[in-house]
Amino acid sequence: MDILNKLLPAGWMTIKILVTSAILTYLIAFIAGLGRVSQFSIIRTLTMIYVELFRGTSLLVQMFWIFFALPAFGVEFSAFWAGVLALSLNYGAYASEVVRGSILAIPKTQTEASIALNMTRWQRLKLVILPQAFRIMLPGLGNNSIELLKGTSLVSLITLGDLTYRGLIIQNTNLSYTVPVFVLLLILYFIIALPLIIIVRRLESRASKGVAKV
Amino acid sequence: MTWDWTFAIEVFPEIFNVIWLVIGITLGAYAVALVFGLILTFARRSSFKPLSWIVYGFIEFIRSTPPLVQLFFVYFALPLIGISLNKYVAGILTLGIHYSTYVSEVYRSGIDSIEKGQWEAARALNFTNSQTWVKVILPQAIPPVIPMFGNYLIILFKETPLLMAIGVVEFLQKAFLIGADHFKYLEPLTIVGFLFLLLSYPSALLINRLEKWSNQAYGKGSR
């Protein structure tokens, strides 16, 4: 009980990081995902470089680079923002593939039909493609947010006081707490993930229903 | 302060030398994931319901909690209940078991894609259960999902920096130690990023190829 009381405040930090970086992640995912299917090859190339750069290197390496190496160029972030930035850029790159995949999954005939209806490019995207793509991408984005939650534990390594960090400190001050601390940590993370897991399961079963298959 | 080429060139070999350790950890964890993943898949399909439910709970729990905390649990907490592992074994086991839950989903999707007729045919031929699996189901279920297994090899490789948390000197820890020695983090950390890109991106391209080939060979969407 004593341990739980000490851990819970740090749980808010984890949730704060999760929510902030989730918002940024989806923003980046949509921009990059749409960028990958843009009509301008320069935008396509730039977003591809971004996606491959962040998917090709390790999240922890990116976090360390932003926190420890960027200051050499005079760009300094607090541990919180360095963590959030690394998480969002990394998971945003993965999520942008979900966005891109869902857009590409919409049958070509839909595009052709909207061209035949004389819609502009923007109308086509907003009224025809995105509403359909959105329901395909939802389960993927949900899974992405569970991965993001797991990723937040890495901020403890750049000394930000999240759940994992606090757990380590409690374990360090009293070694007999080791087993309960880490068991509690796992359970707490699972409790935070639980609503996300349930939502993803719902979305998955719903995504397969009521969508016309070609 | 800006990029210092002499320093970068000086420390590059020192970081690069760790490559065998990183490859060893990656392959070790991968082997654990493939084997344990298959065991999970079978246990999940077991007709003995309690076992199936426990395995399902285990998979959900491991998948949705951070591997970093699992690593701490294995390395710090297990010794207190009598299981002492050195840091390499602890790292390999943690990563391996964490990703076995993902790998088991891959096996499952492969097995689910086998038509019911194949099971019925095997039964009609009087095959035993194990004969059905070894001779009929697995040879058809695994080849189409090989590209996905390739993806997990790359993902595991990119997860190895996690082991720095328990004192394994892999790429990132090495770079960080060098950085701390010279008060210069930019070059060593950038080299690590470059190494990951250099090793994982070409493999990813290769797997993309494999995936295209596999889709053609095993006729995705032919059903």
Side-chain angles (χ1 to χ4, degrees), chain A residues 55-56 58 72 147 150 201, chain B residues 1 60 63 102 158 190 200:
Chain A
R55 290 199 323 161
S58 176
E147 297 292 322
K150 284 158 52 182
R201 286 280 168 282
Chain B
M1 192 169 94
E60 282 294 329
R63 269 181 72 122
Y102 289 79
K158 283 182 293 188
T190 309
S200 73

Side-chain angles (χ1 to χ4, degrees), chain B residues 24-30 32-33 71 87-98 156 163:
Chain B
I25 291 170
T26 309
L27 291 181
Y30 192 57
V32 172
L71 185 65
K87 56 188 175 186
Y88 302 104
V89 178
I92 286 172
L93 271 184
T94 311
L95 286 183
I97 290 176
H98 188 86
L156 265 174
L163 303 197

Side-chain angles (χ1 to χ4, degrees), chain B residues 30-198:
Chain B
Y30 192 57
V32 172
L34 285 187
V35 174
F36 197 62
L38 190 61
I39 295 172
L40 286 179
T41 312
F42 279 125
R44 176 95 172 83
R45 295 179 64 93
S46 161
S47 52
F48 181 56
K49 280 291 160 219
L51 177 65
S52 163
W53 279 107
I54 289 172
V55 171
Y56 176 64
F58 175 81
I59 292 177
E60 282 294 329
F61 188 79
I62 298 289
R63 269 181 72 122
S64 44
T65 51
L68 179 64
V69 181
Q70 289 162 5
L71 185 65
F72 287 140
F73 177 81
V74 169
Y75 189 61
F76 293 123
L78 282 190
L80 295 184
I81 49 175
I83 308 165
S84 265
L85 303 167
N86 78 33
K87 56 188 175 186
Y88 302 104
V89 178
I92 286 172
L93 271 184
T94 311
L95 286 183
I97 290 176
H98 188 86
Y99 281 97
S100 72
T101 58
Y102 289 79
V103 164
S104 97
E105 291 288 298
V106 177
Y107 282 119
R108 198 173 65 123
S109 72
I111 292 169
D112 284 349
S113 71
I114 303 298
E115 282 165 276
K116 219 174 150 205
Q118 299 284 326
W119 294 92
E120 289 164 356
R123 184 167 322 143
L125 288 169
N126 227 353
F127 277 12
T128 63
N129 222 341
S130 60
Q131 274 179 324
T132 310
W133 278 107
V134 175
K135 295 194 169 157
V136 181
I137 305 301
L138 289 182
Q140 295 183 81
I142 293 185
V145 293
I146 283 176
M148 284 204 260
F149 285 131
N151 281 332
Y152 281 113
L153 184 62
I154 301 178
I155 290 174
L156 265 174
F157 168 63
K158 283 182 293 188
E159 285 286 285
T160 54
L162 219 59
L163 303 197
M164 77 174 288
I166 56 169
V168 173
V169 185
E170 39 60 63
F171 283 146
L172 184 60
Q173 175 77 330
K174 186 83 195 171
F176 195 64
L177 291 175
I178 294 173
D181 272 351
H182 299 261
F183 294 107
K184 273 172 148 181
Y185 291 99
L186 176 63
E187 292 84 359
L189 287 179
T190 309
I191 288 171
V192 172
F194 170 74
L195 279 176
F196 271 100
L197 208 57
L198 192 74

